[in-house]
Amino acid sequence: MNYQYLLSPGTIGKLKLKNRTIMAPMSAALGNADGTVSDELTAYLAARARGGVGLIMTEYAFVQENGRSSDHQISVSDDRMIPGLKKMVDAVHENGAKICLQLQHGGRRSIVELTAPSPILMDLKQPVPQVLTTTQVYRLVDDFIAAAVRAKKAGFDMVEVHCAHGYLLNDFVSPHANRRTDEFGGTVGGRAHAPVLIIEGIKKACGEDFPVSVRMSAEELVTDGHKKRDSAAMAQLFEAAGADLINVSCGVNGVGYGIAPAAIETGHNVEAAEEIARVLQIPVSVAGRINEPEYAESILRAGKAQFVSIGRALFADPDFVNKAAEGRETEICPCVGCLQRCYGSYGHGGVYRSCMINPFAMRETTMTLKPAEHKKKVVVVGAGPGGMEAAWTAAARGHEVRLYEKSGIPGGQLQIAAMPPHKQLLARAVAYYYTMCRKYGVDMKFDTEVTAEDILSEKPDAVILATGGAPIYPSRIPGLTQVKTLFGSEVLMGAPLRGDSALVIGGGAQGAETADYLGQLGYRTAVVEMREGIALDDAEATRRLLFGRYEEEKVKTYVGAKVTRVYEDGVDYETDGQVASLRGFDNIILSLGVRSYNPLEEQLKDRVPQLITVGDAATAQNAVNAIYTGAVAGTTI
């Protein structure tokens, strides 16, 4: 495709960009504990610069020590930070992109001290925040300006004033959070006064040619918060103060719909950006599930915004822009909107965020596709996500890889997971892995169930077992073995059902999604779950939308409920010591998770030079673990 708008040069103030792509500011949680820039953060940003993006907006940097919002947040509150920031700037410039530092104060989202324009709680878990005096607000303004001066000294091409996502300046501009009666409250102009003073002060201190962006939550998504029409009015004040770009996002707390799960529509902020752009002479950029270059191009062609801010899609693939420019769209590692690794997720032996589909993200210094020193013959068994990730990464390093899959299609559990409502992007992830296997010459054999002897006959140097898991069948539950049941996985893959009702036993991820699937088809559906909640391993935003659909579909849920007997048409269950019954269902569906399925490990143990087991075949967990362990195998074999 010819991306004539996306790849055309753009201008923000006097700053010229090679294209109209901006990397949205997202916390990679890679800063050092003292607020300095780490080598890992520098490498992460440099990789996105090499990937072709025109401008990188860094994650938030706090301007006052009491405004820190996370343990791994970078600081611009002191001159001591300048050398590390400069090193980061130089790395981005050397790799072909411009760079902007986002300036922020946590306010009610600080982990040090809660401050706000008014004594309004963000949620019931927090104490009432300290209300800033007028003098303290002016000091805040001065500290934002001082931070911008440090950014310019460090070599940044511009700065962004963070007025979004429930941080302190968002609270000032928001009618939801600001009930002040001094010059920093009341009217639209009063609520905008603090950021207006900051913009004017930065221009005076850094020069009129030093660009300033303002990030806004155009739709705050809270009661009595900003709507897009209100944001358009306020954006005019920012433009008059000297802002060179309005960067449109949404949401008050940065979670929920601010970081949108897959069930939120693509480009969900575009209409707001368009309304803001109509009243401004300066350019507008928009973020929010812009995950495909074709869609980004359409936004620009339609004139709805002048730049696109690409966020989690650049977590998923640092080479997003280059691959689009080179016509390699099928090789773009997709963001699937799962929220499993990019928000609030740490683990796997190191404190870092990442991407479920691309575990290399935020691991640029430790997980790389270096050419193998000794080329090996590798056999991979299982074409689920873990097996395919292991296969293509090993092949990309130069190994000769053969992949066996007993079914006729790739994907394993991920193929099943792509079937419920709003999960279709997981199918794109499977297609991506398949594309990468083909690109690097993996010899894929489908409809082939291999034995240990088959594998040994090939004399492999290494074997990777990714045979996945099998559904759990709790045969000890009284009555179960006398009843005709289906697994949730079978239902999602099209198994025929009877009648018009279904009871799902198990409310984990697959059980919850099976119920959603059936509810949307019109089945009278109920879910019974032993734990105290449904889909507890999903992100909160995903669960919130799921429960909204349950309400529309009239799906009933029973939690804290242990099934004690199964009948042809229902179950007995115990909750809080009381036994109750759910009867009158045409279908009983089991969705209680999976157990490891790994018949080959014992048969191959000590019979091949190297034997590795990944994903559910090793320990039944989830796709995050399967893909990560597959990548580790592929990069270390």
Side-chain angles (χ1 to χ4, degrees), residues 358-378:
N358 174 23
F360 292 84
M362 286 78 113
R363 298 293 278 174
E364 285 75 15
T365 61
T366 57
M367 187 180 284
T368 58
L369 289 174
K370 294 179 180 177
E373 292 183 11
H374 304 288
K375 305 299 171 59
K376 296 181 178 180
K377 185 175 184 179
V378 180

Side-chain angles (χ1 to χ4, degrees), residues 564-616:
T564 57
R565 175 171 286 278
V566 179
Y567 302 96
E568 277 291 339
D569 68 340
V571 298
D572 291 337
Y573 67 93
E574 182 180 329
T575 181
D576 295 328
Q578 302 295 315
V579 175
S581 293
L582 285 170
R583 303 294 291 271
F585 293 93
D586 299 312
N587 301 276
I588 307 299
I589 298 166
L590 301 177
S591 194
L592 296 162
V594 300
R595 55 176 175 78
S596 293
Y597 176 75
N598 186 10
L600 295 173
E601 186 170 20
E602 280 300 316
Q603 299 173 43
L604 293 172
K605 190 175 180 181
D606 300 323
R607 299 178 71 186
V608 293
Q610 189 173 11
L611 181 63
I612 303 171
T613 306
V614 304
D616 286 350

Side-chain angles (χ1 to χ4, degrees), residues 112-175:
V112 178
E113 178 184 34
L114 303 184
T115 56
S118 301
I120 297 174
L121 282 70
M122 179 163 278
D123 60 53
L124 290 175
K125 299 175 184 177
Q126 291 185 332
V128 177
Q130 173 190 329
V131 177
L132 295 179
T133 65
T134 303
T135 299
Q136 287 174 321
V137 179
Y138 278 106
R139 187 177 305 129
L140 176 73
V141 169
D142 289 341
D143 286 342
F144 265 92
I145 296 167
V149 171
R150 293 185 189 103
K152 186 175 182 182
K153 287 180 179 178
F156 283 91
D157 300 292
M158 60 183 288
V159 293
E160 178 166 89
V161 180
H162 200 340
C163 289
H165 301 163
Y167 297 117
L168 185 53
L169 290 183
N170 185 179
D171 282 351
F172 270 95
V173 304
S174 172

Side-chain angles (χ1 to χ4, degrees), residues 34 81 91 107 163 238 398 421 523 561 617-618:
D34 62 357
M81 304 298 155
C163 289
F238 297 153
Y523 283 85

Side-chain angles (χ1 to χ4, degrees), residues 92-388:
V92 168
H93 284 164
E94 288 166 6
N95 285 283
K98 304 296 184 183
I99 184 168
C100 169
L101 183 67
Q102 189 183 68
L103 312 178
Q104 177 259 13
H105 187 292
R108 290 185 297 170
R109 298 189 64 199
S110 169
I111 62 172
V112 178
E113 178 184 34
L114 303 184
T115 56
S118 301
I120 297 174
L121 282 70
M122 179 163 278
D123 60 53
L124 290 175
K125 299 175 184 177
Q126 291 185 332
V128 177
Q130 173 190 329
V131 177
L132 295 179
T133 65
T134 303
T135 299
Q136 287 174 321
V137 179
Y138 278 106
R139 187 177 305 129
L140 176 73
V141 169
D142 289 341
D143 286 342
F144 265 92
I145 296 167
V149 171
R150 293 185 189 103
K152 186 175 182 182
K153 287 180 179 178
F156 283 91
D157 300 292
M158 60 183 288
V159 293
E160 178 166 89
V161 180
H162 200 340
C163 289
H165 301 163
Y167 297 117
L168 185 53
L169 290 183
N170 185 179
D171 282 351
F172 270 95
V173 304
S174 172
H176 172 78
N178 186 342
R179 312 299 167 91
R180 296 178 75 95
T181 55
D182 62 359
E183 60 264 47
F184 295 105
T187 65
V188 171
R191 285 184 280 111
H193 193 42
V196 162
L197 290 177
I198 290 168
I199 296 163
E200 292 174 343
I202 292 172
K203 287 292 187 178
K204 184 176 180 180
C206 297
E208 288 297 321
D209 290 347
F210 189 68
V212 177
S213 171
V214 180
R215 189 161 220 215
M216 299 181 68
S217 286
E219 296 271 358
E220 289 189 276
L221 307 176
V222 293
T223 302
D224 64 21
H226 269 163
K227 303 296 184 184
K228 55 181 177 287
R229 59 182 178 271
D230 308 304
S231 297
M234 187 163 284
Q236 295 173 112
L237 301 176
F238 297 153
E239 179 183 44
D244 301 283
L245 177 74
I246 300 297
N247 190 9
V248 175
S249 184
C250 74
V252 156
N253 60 356
V255 193
Y257 307 124
I259 302 178
I264 293 292
E265 64 183 359
T266 55
H268 54 95
N269 295 319
V270 169
E271 283 73 19
E274 183 179 21
E275 184 154 339
I276 291 170
R278 283 198 200 104
V279 302
L280 301 180
Q281 298 299 310
I282 60 174
V284 169
S285 184
V286 62
R289 296 207 66 223
I290 301 171
N291 295 334
E292 295 177 297
E294 297 90 343
Y295 180 54
E297 173 73 9
S298 72
I299 293 169
L300 299 173
R301 286 193 189 188
K304 296 179 184 292
Q306 290 69 53
F307 293 90
V308 289
S309 292
I310 303 169
R312 288 173 292 157
L314 285 170
F315 270 175
D317 197 327
D319 296 313
F320 179 98
V321 178
N322 282 346
K323 287 179 179 178
E326 295 163 7
R328 297 190 289 134
E329 290 90 347
T330 59
E331 293 180 22
I332 293 175
C333 182
C335 168
V336 298
C338 65
L339 301 184
Q340 293 296 302
R341 291 300 310 275
C342 58
Y343 184 81
S345 181
Y346 304 90
H348 293 308
V351 180
Y352 69 98
R353 285 180 176 165
S354 189
C355 169
M356 181 177 80
I357 305 301
N358 174 23
F360 292 84
M362 286 78 113
R363 298 293 278 174
E364 285 75 15
T365 61
T366 57
M367 187 180 284
T368 58
L369 289 174
K370 294 179 180 177
E373 292 183 11
H374 304 288
K375 305 299 171 59
K376 296 181 178 180
K377 185 175 184 179
V378 180
V379 169
V380 180
V381 185
M388 296 182 82

